[in-house]
Amino acid sequence: MTHIKFAWSALGGDPALASRVSTVERPGALEARLPVRELARACVGVCALAAAALGALRAGLAGVPAVRVDDGAVATAFVSERHLLIDGRAPVNFAPLSRFWRTGDGWVRTHANYPHHRARLLGALGLGGDASVEDVAALLAERSAHEVEDVVYGAGGLAVALRTAREWAAHAQGATVAARPLVVRERPDAAPARVLPPVRTARTGAGAAPMLPAAGLRVLDLTRVIAGPVATRTLALLGAEVLRVDPPGLPELADQHADTGFGKRSAAVDLAADRKTFEELLAAADVVVTGYRPGALDRFGLSPEALAERRPGLVVAQLSAWGGGPWGGRRGFDSLVQVATGIAAIEGSDERPGALPAQALDHGTGYLLAAAVLRALTEQAHDGGSRVVRLALARTAAWLTGVGADGAGGAGAVTGTGGADGPDGRDGAGAAYRRPDAWLGETDSAIGRLRYARSPVAFTGGPTDWTRPPGPWGADAPRWHRPND
């Protein structure tokens, strides 16, 4: 319960409400040396609690519905990309060049799932586009890990040298991250209080309908990869109309989109050439969620401050890998943050780095991000004001490892035996993964027959599944569908 109380406090929630959360514990779920199960449980729990509290406000309930967090559902959802099947086919979650590499003095991890990142990695190393894993391995074995990190990042690619937690704490970026709160919450103006129309309480029996705390709200989704899309698919589960917008020349990986696209529509908009369309979407949006590097969208007038100025009363949720500081402008992914912050060293051995049993920084931060949006909407109904919330994968990592200015919610005792993700080690699954059928669903869609992980966000009277499956990436018109009542 300590982790739940810490996360709920970071979101600005009423401490008394934390008692509304109960847990179904399942030993073996998300086994690791670090308390991954406790972190995952807390992230999902506070997300469900924020949803239940907003729903109670909108439905006029005297009390907040009870929240139930099942370790099995959480563990299954935190590896949703591994459970996904598309017409019986399992996706490939890590490309061959996304892996650990032995260097002349240690280890480095690269990320090259996207074609442009692969090209930049190989270009930085002076290798051709047809280079093999063996070619890269031979070259990196002669270089230093920190040299590779600098050269690849200098070319716009992604590579991070393995660091211990102590080395990260002494690094300028590690110190920056440790000094910031888990959730940065800002109120840039004094816009009038948000008027939220009532929502219906859940009905039972034939034709039952759940209570949808985010019904009628419009969410503009400018995120990619996992953490941001997990947040927005959760808001879609809760009734929000979510429209994901991507640049037409930078498509999302198809399998990744299939995993995180539930409940949403997907459109392609060129922000440089078609600002009119975007401004029309923004003018009717309630929430904007961004998942690009800090400053990357500023040239389009999409900084949180600029968005709130043009749309007073907006909630802007900003997600990044590194959370500002010297590395604030660098690209980053969960696997790389694990390597930089000491997690890979903790979960590994003397012979080889390890990894968490799930991309828990991505998934955990995604549920925290959704919770922060729901909390901001609840606060607006009382106090008004535009709201800006900021989260970072590296700050979630600091919470997991017990490093942070607040000193709360840290790692505590070793809880398991370690795990690994991707192509570098065992599944790290635990008992809850091996029999996940209770937490999986199947549906037909325009991209095929899908097997998928259901959402672990659960509260009394709340929804249990999405109302629409993902469609093809970029196939929807860039416009809002539901009336904003």
Side-chain angles (χ1 to χ4, degrees):
M1 199 65 176
T2 300
H3 288 75
I4 291 175
K5 289 180 178 178
F6 169 69
W8 186 241
S9 174
L11 292 164
D14 178 358
L17 291 181
S19 64
R20 300 298 295 156
V21 182
S22 63
T23 302
V24 179
E25 298 188 12
R26 298 184 187 275
L30 298 176
E31 281 189 330
R33 294 194 172 104
L34 291 166
V36 179
R37 178 168 59 245
E38 290 80 0
L39 178 138
R41 182 190 296 158
C43 292
V44 171
V46 296
C47 183
L49 184 56
L54 179 60
L57 173 68
R58 297 188 66 182
L61 301 180
V64 173
V67 169
R68 183 174 181 267
V69 184
D70 189 312
D71 282 351
V74 172
T76 301
F78 265 56
V79 289
S80 60
E81 64 275 9
R82 296 186 207 167
H83 290 297
L84 179 70
L85 293 178
I86 306 171
D87 287 332
R89 176 186 62 83
V92 176
N93 292 310
F94 283 91
L97 298 188
S98 296
R99 61 191 300 124
F100 284 111
W101 307 88
R102 172 75 81 171
T103 64
D105 61 353
W107 292 89
V108 69
R109 185 157 191 171
T110 56
H111 196 286
N113 284 3
Y114 289 93
H116 58 292
H117 290 159
R118 182 181 187 278
R120 291 169 185 170
L121 170 66
L122 294 176
L125 299 177
L127 296 172
D130 59 348
S132 67
V133 169
E134 292 74 22
D135 294 332
V136 176
L139 181 64
L140 294 185
E142 300 176 352
R143 311 278 285 271
S144 80
H146 290 282
E147 176 195 359
V148 173
E149 177 182 275
D150 291 341
V151 168
V152 173
Y153 264 114
L158 295 110
V160 171
L162 178 72
R163 290 172 172 84
T164 65
R166 180 170 294 184
E167 289 170 336
W168 180 245
H171 192 281
Q173 183 61 35
T176 298
V177 170
R180 73 181 264 162
L182 180 63
V183 182
V184 176
R185 300 159 54 236
E186 300 170 355
R187 181 181 174 181
D189 59 35
R194 178 181 292 275
V195 178
L196 291 169
V199 296
R200 292 177 297 183
T201 55
R203 298 199 310 269
T204 59
M211 178 173 67
L212 299 174
L217 297 169
R218 289 171 167 165
V219 177
L220 198 52
D221 179 359
L222 307 179
T223 69
R224 296 181 67 78
V225 198
I226 295 177
V230 164
T232 51
R233 82 178 177 191
T234 302
L235 296 173
L237 172 84
L238 299 169
E241 179 184 0
V242 179
L243 178 64
R244 173 165 167 169
V245 173
D246 287 287
L250 195 62
E252 183 60 278
L253 298 175
D255 292 344
Q256 206 152 258
H257 172 70
D259 177 44
T260 61
F262 280 86
K264 313 177 194 178
R265 290 182 297 112
S266 169
V269 176
D270 186 332
L271 295 181
D274 193 3
R275 287 305 300 275
K276 180 176 181 292
T277 294
F278 179 82
E279 293 301 323
E280 289 174 349
L281 292 171
L282 176 63
D286 300 289
V287 178
V288 175
V289 185
T290 69
Y292 292 79
R293 292 167 294 145
L297 298 177
D298 290 5
R299 69 184 186 277
F300 300 111
L302 301 182
S303 69
E305 297 76 14
L307 289 168
E309 183 177 350
R310 298 206 300 283
R311 176 70 166 154
L314 191 69
V315 173
V316 182
Q318 187 179 57
L319 171 76
S320 65
W322 303 108
W327 284 19
R330 293 193 178 196
R331 297 169 178 85
F333 293 89
D334 180 304
S335 58
L336 302 184
V337 175
Q338 289 188 40
V339 172
T341 59
I343 291 173
I346 293 170
E347 296 292 338
S349 66
D350 292 339
E351 290 76 32
R352 187 178 184 82
L356 299 177
Q359 295 190 73
L361 305 181
D362 261 334
H363 286 271
T365 308
Y367 290 108
L368 283 177
L369 189 66
V373 169
L374 297 165
R375 284 285 306 131
L377 292 165
T378 303
E379 291 176 345
Q380 283 184 326
H382 297 295
D383 303 329
S386 301
R387 304 284 168 151
V388 178
V389 295
R390 306 177 199 265
L391 290 92
L393 302 186
R395 184 58 186 87
T396 304
W399 176 29
L400 179 63
T401 57
V403 178
D406 43 50
V414 171
T415 59
T417 57
D421 66 355
D424 302 302
R426 66 181 181 83
D427 187 273
Y433 287 101
R434 289 194 284 268
R435 292 187 177 179
D437 293 354
W439 305 293
L440 297 177
E442 290 196 16
T443 186
D444 291 316
S445 76
I447 57 177
R449 179 74 178 174
L450 302 179
R451 188 192 74 175
Y452 62 96
R454 297 182 185 273
S455 175
V457 174
F459 58 93
T460 301
T464 59
D465 208 347
W466 291 276
T467 57
R468 59 177 292 153
W473 177 88
D476 295 295
R479 63 172 182 268
W480 299 113
H481 278 191
R482 301 181 191 170
N484 200 1
D485 48 19

